[in-house]
Amino acid sequence: MLNGVILGGIIIVDINIKIGGEAGQGIQTIGSVLSRTFVRDGFYVYGNQFYLSRVRGGHNYFHIRVSDHPIYALDEKIDVLVALDNQTIPEHIEEVKEGFVLADESIVGDNVSENTVSVPFTEISKDVSDKKLFSNTVAVGAVFGLLCYDLSTLKKFLSETFKRKGDEVVEKNIKAAQAGYDYVINGKFEGICNYNLNPQPTKRRILINGNDSVGVGALAAGVQFLSAYPMTPSTGVMTRVAAHADDFNAVVEQAEDEIAAINMAIGASFAGVRAMTTTSGGGFCLMTEGLGLSGITETPVVIFLGQRPGPATGLPTMTEQGDLNFVLHAAQGEFPRCVLAPRTAKDAFNQTRRAFDIADKYQIPVLILSDQHLADGLFTYERFATSDLKINRHLLEDRFVGSDYQRYTITESGISPRAIPGQNGALVVADSDEHNEAGRIDQTTGNRIRMNEKRLRKVDGLTDEMQMPVIHGIDGADISLIGWGSTYGSLAEAVDILNRDEVSINLIHFSDIYPFSHDTVSLLDGLNTTICVENNATGQFARLLRAELGFEVSKKMLRYDGLPFTPQSVIRELKGMGVI
Amino acid sequence: MVTMDDYKDGETEWCPGCGNFNILEAVKRSLVDLGKKPHEVLMVSGIGQSGKLPHYLKCNTFNSLHGRTLPPATGAKVANPVLTVIAVGGDGDSYGEGGNHFIHAIRRNPDITLIAHDNQIYGLTKGQASPTSELGMKTKVQTHGVLHTPFNPLAVAISLDCPFVARGFAGDVDHLSSLLSQAISHKGFSLVDVLQPCVTFNKLNTYKWYHDRVYKMEDDGHDPANRMAAFEKALEWGDRIPTGVFYKRDSEPFESKLDVLKSGPLIAKQYDSAKLDRVFENFS
Ligand SMILES: Cc1ncc(C[n+]2csc(CCOP(=O)(O)OP(=O)(O)O)c2C)c(N)n1
Ligand code: SF4
């Protein structure tokens, strides 16, 4: 049996594996070993995890999808379900139509069926090592057995991973994987191969999630100071930057709270380095005054916000695009800001670099608006090109800094030449009160108008730099989905599937959220039926389109159960709406 | 040579007779005594009458938010440890709105001097109680008198093992400027709590009230190396109020512990994108 879609004579590999279990059982390890082995063998993997807010127990799962073509979303059907806890089978069996379930005997219980393969993970592990420690590796081996998939890459991967723990650990892991593999191959399916998956030699690809990509993007942008207070789902960015901070001459400081986090970053930026902070909605609530401080002192700062459903503590480990209105309006007063919402991990890398450039050029706060779905989403890519990356700090050169330097010199672009404290003997005076060109408090009305206008003039230049949405699918379609941020993968795939079925539909997808690029209105005005698709209950992006551009979408498709869209869920909804 | 004139700037907006004038004078004197040039100094302040002090000084200034004096000061110090960073705030700013930062800045221990203008009242917002107001002190808000135990910044700082803890009095500029010079020169976080009469709103803790009570601990032979003695002195308040250095110890500041800063300030490091290749090894 071959698994996948047949497209114009080409067979596209498309295998979905789900590993379910309690927190602490090692689901992530299994998922990561499987995905990385496939990626090394030339496949494209997209993965994501669904977890509850607890360190042990509860039902969590890790979903990976393997293809020989680039993929950016999960499918709803499962080919292999690995059950490590009693909840996995009842909760996910409906999704396993033509696939198989791999589980320990103790878990299979009464759920025996043709498609259930019970593998004594723990017993095999004990045979290999006297301990249950290797049962996860047995499970990985069993998955590969079911797929009749060559173990050589896995073995190499295990040797590399456990090298530091010594030869014995490496050997036992390899043995455990082989034993799991043999158990399946020689048992129920002796002589039968259910899938046909052949490694495809390629250049080394990478498997990277949204948060790591933001972290690497920040390093690529030359971030030297990151202060943050941990909060799911943003913490991964902080961890990634911390992992490489020494190498990149950067300092990562865990602040006492989010207020300190953003204010420290602003202080570091004022003194001359690229600085950022990372948080989620609740933490950003605490940062809002600091956001305004960046606004009025014109100190660049990059704020990464990983959205999760609110209000307050909400659903800590789930996903939502519910904070758009908030980031657009956070902090009192009026000042320019920029909001970027990456679509994919690669976009997250690029947008993060851009965020620092924009922040420096316009001396404003720039927000990177992500969410749990992108934060934890694993994407496969060729390595990002990095050799010729350059950064421009937009700082005054020494020779232009004199003793008469004024931090807030009024200019036509609204951007004042920026020096850093002490540079060439200059003094830099910045103030959170309204101030004059020299940075001194000035409450006169004339000054207020001049300074406010100066700051707001920056929006003109900023707007020129904003990028247009991408158009995915056929041109001039009858129906256009409009989306933003992390929904890209699911929406693009929904469009692909529907285009294949000859439905006239495309996707207009935004990553530059605020301000909009100049030509956005004319693009939108040329569309037919428009459906704004968002992971929130009130259609915040649709409202932004109306408020900023006077554009009214035809319909909205909103999902707010804490889960991301899937291509299938989008298609179902479109059918439900009667538009296709 | 640095002179007082080098630091001269701006018209002040404080009430005549306010203790802040003397604090400003003491700051200038100590910076001149230490030979610091204005461009080598960064003053970070919060919001309050106290927070205006940097505006009357010629040096680098970052006037931040109410209570947020220490976080930006810390960020700036890490980015460029070459700067002499001085944080200025009121008692509301430093111990009320910024209380959490006060505690954690001491724990973090950047080489910053905090000058807390302790007038036991909110000046800029016109006379409400501050965390250090006396029990029973009546204001338009605390109509039944202050009910909360006053915050003891010195005892808190000593209990957190803050490397330099001192109290000055705005009525004694010579002594105060000598304390400030010691604090600025001392490595690590230094606290100088300054008794500052607010002649407009605090009718209780007046110049005379202080003059009748303050004394210099060094005259009593206090040993600032003795933490327990320092703690005892910090609890002394009433007929006699100690000033001077309560406690000091050697410490390694936060930024000195950061390996990446050993080879120079962050602002002087070169950008090198070539290192990214190694980062990608983690993902393949
Ligand atoms: C977040 C915030 N809350 C309140 C205020 C209003 N405010 C300004 S100064 C101040 C207190 C001033 O008292 P203190 O810090 O003791 O300084 P002083 O004026 O006495 O020197 C307050 C409450 C503010 N600016 N910001
Ligand atoms: S209100 Fe008090 S603290 Fe403020 S300037 Fe007047 S006397 Fe000084």
Side-chain angles (χ1 to χ4, degrees), chain A residues 289, chain B residues 47-50 66 90-93 97 119 121-125:
Chain A
E289 198 194 18
Chain B
I47 298 296
Q49 299 288 30
S50 45
H66 184 50
D91 40 25
D93 193 89
E97 190 84 78
N119 54 10
I121 198 93
Y122 281 10
L124 193 61
T125 49

Side-chain angles (χ1 to χ4, degrees), chain A residues 35-106:
Chain A
S35 349
R36 290 179 71 171
T37 306
F38 285 124
V39 168
R40 285 187 175 203
D41 277 341
F43 290 101
Y44 291 89
V45 168
Y46 176 80
N48 218 315
Q49 46 179 325
F50 300 86
Y51 53 102
L52 301 170
S53 189
R54 50 197 286 182
V55 176
R56 294 205 175 272
H59 175 69
N60 301 330
Y61 54 95
F62 193 106
H63 187 158
I64 64 175
R65 184 174 173 206
V66 187
S67 174
D68 50 2
H69 281 60
I71 39 169
Y72 306 106
L74 293 178
D75 202 303
E76 288 186 355
K77 68 162 175 73
I78 300 174
D79 298 290
V80 182
L81 177 67
V82 183
L84 300 182
D85 68 350
N86 288 319
Q87 251 172 292
T88 303
I89 297 181
E91 243 177 72
H92 302 283
I93 194 72
E94 285 294 303
E95 300 155 52
V96 190
K97 297 261 160 60
E98 288 166 27
F100 296 92
V101 180
L102 282 177
D104 206 274
E105 255 160 337
S106 58

Side-chain angles (χ1 to χ4, degrees), chain B residues 179-226:
Chain B
L179 290 176
L180 290 176
S181 300
Q182 291 178 63
I184 293 166
S185 312
H186 198 82
K187 289 268 167 274
F189 191 84
S190 305
L191 167 68
V192 184
D193 182 80
V194 186
L195 302 172
Q196 173 232 328
C198 167
V199 294
T200 306
F201 296 112
N202 190 335
K203 303 294 184 197
L204 189 67
N205 311 104
T206 59
Y207 277 106
K208 178 169 185 325
W209 190 89
Y210 285 123
H211 273 302
D212 290 346
R213 289 168 173 77
V214 294
Y215 72 98
K216 297 189 187 97
M217 282 181 294
E218 51 265 41
D219 298 345
D220 271 16
H222 171 67
D223 172 14
N226 184 338

Side-chain angles (χ1 to χ4, degrees), chain A residues 220 247 253 428 431-432 440, chain B residues 9 60 63-64 108 271 275:
Chain A
D247 242 12
E253 176 63 358
V428 184
D431 197 350
S432 69
R440 298 299 188 191
Chain B
D9 206 333
N60 296 294
N63 189 13
S64 71
R108 190 174 281 120
Y271 171 75
K275 287 182 176 166

Side-chain angles (χ1 to χ4, degrees), chain A residues 284-416:
Chain A
F284 185 65
C285 289
L286 297 182
M287 290 185 181
T288 53
E289 198 194 18
L291 184 78
L293 179 65
S294 158
I296 195 162
T297 60
E298 304 186 47
T299 311
V301 68
V302 172
I303 302 157
F304 172 80
L305 193 162
Q307 297 169 97
R308 66 193 217 187
T313 310
L315 295 169
T317 57
M318 304 189 86
T319 202
E320 194 167 275
Q321 296 180 307
D323 298 343
L324 175 61
N325 280 343
F326 182 40
V327 303
L328 291 169
H329 303 292
Q332 79 275 26
E334 300 167 299
F335 57 91
R337 73 186 76 195
C338 175
V339 183
L340 307 172
R343 306 180 171 102
T344 59
K346 187 167 188 176
D347 195 34
F349 174 80
N350 291 326
Q351 291 288 34
T352 303
R353 287 179 35 234
R354 232 176 117 224
F356 282 93
D357 288 343
I358 292 172
D360 265 357
K361 182 165 176 190
Y362 294 96
Q363 304 169 16
I364 55 170
V366 178
L367 287 126
I368 302 168
L369 191 57
S370 178
D371 53 29
Q372 183 271 328
H373 181 52
L374 178 57
D376 293 325
L378 280 165
F379 297 72
T380 310
Y381 297 110
E382 308 301 328
R383 276 189 186 199
F384 306 153
T386 53
S387 49
D388 53 352
L389 290 184
K390 289 200 177 55
I391 57 173
N392 183 353
R393 296 295 320 279
H394 300 280
L395 291 170
L396 271 177
E397 283 174 42
D398 279 352
R399 62 199 165 104
F400 297 124
V401 183
S403 56
D404 56 348
Y405 173 75
Q406 297 204 320
R407 174 67 190 90
Y408 300 108
T409 307
I410 293 194
T411 61
E412 210 164 300
S413 64
I415 302 167
S416 305

Side-chain angles (χ1 to χ4, degrees), chain B residues 16-51:
Chain B
C18 173
N20 284 338
F21 288 104
N22 288 351
I23 301 179
L24 176 63
E25 177 74 11
V27 169
K28 278 192 207 164
R29 269 202 224 169
S30 71
L31 289 173
V32 170
D33 287 350
L34 293 170
K36 298 274 176 206
K37 297 197 181 81
H39 74 268
E40 298 168 338
V41 178
L42 170 63
M43 283 270 181
V44 183
S45 67
I47 298 296
Q49 299 288 30
S50 45

